[in-house]
Amino acid sequence: MGINVRVAPGSIRQRRGVHNPRAKVLGNNQKIREHWHPHETFKTFSKKAHIAALRPHIGNRWFASIDLESFFEHVTRAKVHRAIENIGFSRTRAFRIAGESTVRQNEKYSLARGFPQSAVLATLVLDRSLFGSYLRKRNDKSALTIYSDDIILSSNNFQNLVDEYWLIIELLGRSNFSVNTHKSQPPNREVVVFNIRLSHKLLRFTDERMWRFFIRAKDLLQNTSSEQRDEKYQEFFGRYVASINSEQARQLAESLGVSAAT
């Protein structure tokens, strides 16, 4: 039985009858990065990106987070086209890259989560939006970082943080990005982002995340020789947990009967 696949107009597959080669996609990403450098608040391309998005905030006392709802699905082919053209590509080339990079989802063409080009293009579109323009003009009263569909803010001034939190939500709406009000967290003494509790001078995994670490590490170590247990644990769990919270890393190691040393 044949499978019907809807192909974006202008895509390589439509024009050549072949699948979009990964090399072509990566080449597009490289060309885009050569033409454009995201604002420093975007941590998507940083080493250990989610940690890089958290660290700038730990010195503050008030925290907030904004979750972009169905982020990639809201990055439509038209938005991608405009953003690529905005950084200096010709209209024809921008249209071609947008067509190669989007898929039909419901009634529109948009980015798909997990595709190699999606992170670059989603960040580009957000950076070139009205919200992105605000980032380049803001007075930095609050700390602000962005990783994928999460925007994290913090400040030592509660009212400044409240004002910027609601201003950003308004700007995102005017940029045609929906905010998930159930997952977003208004200013408070602590927020949970990436399964990590962020508060003043402290990062700490949630209890649920630590329990999952324990179950997964226990399964891994059951099939590991005694000589390799410590090394395997550190490779897959220990060093990462310790990079967030050394006390939680020590407790996890003790519960598993392995060395906590990194």
Side-chain angles (χ1 to χ4, degrees):
M1 179 180 295
I3 299 176
N4 294 321
V5 178
R6 192 182 294 272
V7 180
S11 70
I12 285 181
R13 186 174 179 184
Q14 184 189 54
R15 291 183 289 107
R16 300 182 183 174
V18 296
H19 290 286
N20 187 0
R22 182 178 178 84
K24 181 70 174 180
V25 169
L26 297 178
N28 287 340
N29 284 356
Q30 182 179 347
K31 289 294 184 183
I32 289 169
R33 294 297 304 276
E34 289 172 358
H35 280 73
W36 158 77
H37 299 285
H39 188 267
E40 60 186 8
T41 54
F42 289 95
K43 303 301 180 183
T44 303
F45 311 114
S46 300
K47 184 178 181 181
K48 297 181 180 178
H50 69 295
I51 299 177
L54 292 170
R55 293 253 179 240
H57 300 280
I58 59 176
N60 290 327
R61 297 180 181 276
W62 294 98
F63 309 89
S65 71
I66 298 171
D67 183 273
L68 295 173
E69 187 169 29
S70 303
F71 178 39
F72 292 101
E73 289 83 349
H74 279 86
V75 182
T76 61
R77 185 173 62 188
K79 287 181 180 179
V80 173
H81 179 197
R82 286 195 299 269
I84 295 175
E85 189 176 0
N86 182 262
I87 61 172
F89 285 75
S90 69
R91 178 170 297 182
T92 300
R93 190 173 184 189
F95 181 78
R96 184 173 70 246
I97 294 175
E100 293 168 352
S101 304
T102 52
V103 297
R104 183 67 179 261
Q105 301 185 86
N106 298 319
E107 298 303 315
K108 60 186 177 182
Y109 289 97
S110 58
L111 297 179
R113 182 179 291 274
F115 280 20
Q117 70 271 36
S118 292
V120 170
L121 294 175
T123 303
L124 170 64
V125 168
L126 193 59
D127 183 57
R128 308 315 290 184
S129 69
L130 178 63
F131 167 68
S133 297
Y134 165 74
L135 292 179
R136 291 183 283 277
K137 298 174 183 176
R138 64 190 292 269
N139 56 18
D140 296 332
K141 287 183 178 179
S142 306
L144 192 157
T145 56
I146 305 165
Y147 173 59
S148 187
D149 54 0
D150 287 290
I151 301 171
I152 308 167
L153 303 99
S154 66
S155 177
N156 285 319
N157 186 305
F158 177 74
Q159 192 57 52
N160 284 347
L161 187 61
V162 169
D163 292 345
E164 185 159 37
Y165 177 82
W166 290 111
L167 173 60
I168 288 175
I169 288 178
E170 177 188 350
L171 291 171
L172 289 167
R174 291 168 60 188
S175 302
N176 295 315
F177 286 104
S178 297
V179 170
N180 188 325
T181 56
H182 297 291
K183 292 185 177 181
S184 295
Q185 300 166 83
N188 208 332
R189 290 292 191 182
E190 177 185 271
V191 294
V192 177
V193 191
F194 317 130
N195 297 296
I196 296 172
R197 296 187 178 279
L198 168 63
S199 58
H200 181 54
K201 294 185 178 180
L202 182 65
L203 295 176
R204 183 177 178 84
F205 286 106
T206 63
D207 292 342
E208 293 81 1
R209 175 60 71 176
M210 289 303 299
W211 176 249
R212 287 201 290 271
F213 282 147
F214 174 75
I215 295 299
R216 291 169 58 192
K218 185 178 179 181
D219 290 343
L220 173 71
L221 296 178
Q222 282 180 342
N223 299 314
T224 304
S225 65
S226 57
E227 295 82 3
Q228 295 181 317
R229 283 172 60 85
D230 288 352
E231 181 182 349
K232 281 288 186 183
Y233 166 75
Q234 290 299 333
E235 179 183 357
F236 289 96
F237 298 97
R239 282 188 282 273
Y240 172 56
V241 176
S243 72
I244 298 297
N245 189 293
S246 59
E247 177 60 21
Q248 286 184 307
R250 183 191 64 78
Q251 293 173 351
L252 180 61
E254 285 184 358
S255 67
L256 292 164
V258 295
S259 173
T262 57

